[in-house]
Amino acid sequence: MSKTTILIFLVIILFAGFILSLCLGSVLLSPSQIIDALFSGKSSIYSDIIIEYRLPKAITAVIAGMALSISGLLMQNFFRNPLAGPFVLGVSSGAGLFVAILIMTGWYAGLSLGSIDIHQSTMVSFAAIIGAMAVLLLLLLIQSINKDYTTLLIVGLMISSAVSAVISLIQYFSQSQDIQRYLLWTMGSLGALSWWEISGLVIALLVCVTVLIVIIKPLNALNLGESYALSMGVKVQTVRILILLTSGVLAGMITAYCGPIGFIGLAVPHLSRQFLKTFHPAWLIPGTAITGGAILLFCDIIAQVPGMDFVLPINTVTALFGAPWVIIYLLRKKLSGTFN
């Protein structure tokens, strides 16, 4: 099967998942009811469900899945490590730290969130963006001083570890209701974004994808080795900074608005490589993006528990999908003797 055919097949799966996500939920809707709700212009309970809740949620799932999986792909190529992902640099941890500070100590500065839904708070999103960008700027500074991949990877892991320790310390001295609200944020949510926020995510995703399209040839040259890239006239340091910046922005913006969503960025790039059987970024980036969007859509459908009145945390569903995949991947690598 050609790579073009595989990409078309993935787009069809993504489209099918999108329709299913509009049909399934606590209230089951038929495709004709969805079409009527979207295009009739009449106000009804079905149009409210679709336009106000399910449509923005499905679009958010697609954007988040694409952004996190592209971020994971870039990280794995950057560090030449198959187990690297959006969380490995500590960008998501930085977002989590600032959210923890806001939720659990913000009332000291008169920033109490009161009874506001934690997933619909602009202050929480703003705090997460500041945290993610602070870690990203720190990593860029370290990258300019020390250009070794392994050192940067270890620094990212150390940042994550140190941030987790600080969050645990804050939790230790916090009130139970604040801890509960923070834990609720860490479970992730795709259904709390306004159309304005979704538009912002779409623009950010398009900007990042445009950057990757511009540097697609240097990316492929780097895949063949830094020496080869230098011989081809690639400005390796500039490309490395762009990769780091793009990956950090993609992971940071999704964490800011949807909470930390794990395993998508780690597992999806491996699936795409198996589907497309190539390492060329011109095929892998669109393939990974479409696969990531489709998988997070189906994870969200499972989280909805169709026909039931409750919703599972999206992070729980992605972890149940991602953890077995990582274990299988490690075992297959070990058995084939290619794991190092």
Side-chain angles (χ1 to χ4, degrees), residues 110 112 123 195 220 298 312 338:
S112 175
M123 279 198 294
W195 285 109
N220 188 45
F298 282 101
L312 298 174
T338 57

Side-chain angles (χ1 to χ4, degrees), residues 56-222:
K57 195 165 186 277
I59 294 174
T60 303
V62 173
I63 297 170
M66 287 183 167
L68 292 174
S69 53
I70 292 175
S71 178
L73 176 68
L74 293 175
M75 285 297 94
Q76 289 169 13
N77 287 348
F78 184 88
F79 290 113
R80 302 183 184 283
N81 188 323
L83 297 181
F87 289 84
V88 75
L89 284 177
V91 174
S92 299
S93 300
L97 174 62
F98 274 65
V99 171
I101 292 172
L102 173 66
I103 294 175
M104 292 187 272
T105 67
W107 58 275
Y108 282 110
L111 296 175
S112 175
L113 299 177
S115 58
I116 298 174
D117 185 341
I118 203 70
H119 291 296
Q120 295 181 333
S121 170
T122 303
M123 279 198 294
V124 170
S125 300
F126 189 63
I129 290 172
I130 293 175
M133 293 311 297
V135 173
L136 189 58
L137 290 174
L138 176 61
L139 290 170
L140 287 172
L141 177 64
I142 295 170
Q143 157 73 14
S144 66
I145 298 171
N146 190 323
K147 299 175 176 57
D148 182 62
Y149 294 108
T150 305
T151 301
L152 193 61
L153 180 61
I154 293 172
V155 168
L157 292 172
M158 291 303 101
I159 290 174
S160 294
S161 179
V163 166
S164 297
V166 174
I167 292 174
S168 297
L169 194 62
I170 294 173
Q171 287 178 321
Y172 183 78
F173 290 103
S174 298
Q175 299 176 354
S176 58
Q177 62 268 29
D178 292 332
I179 296 173
Q180 186 179 21
R181 303 188 80 182
Y182 175 72
L183 292 178
L184 188 63
W185 178 79
T186 63
M187 292 178 181
S189 174
L190 299 171
L193 274 70
S194 66
W195 285 109
W196 177 256
E197 292 168 332
I198 292 173
S199 301
L201 289 183
V202 170
I203 292 171
L205 179 61
L206 289 176
V207 169
C208 290
V209 170
T210 303
V211 170
L212 295 178
I213 291 173
V214 170
I215 63 171
I216 200 77
K217 287 185 178 179
L219 280 177
N220 188 45
L222 274 176

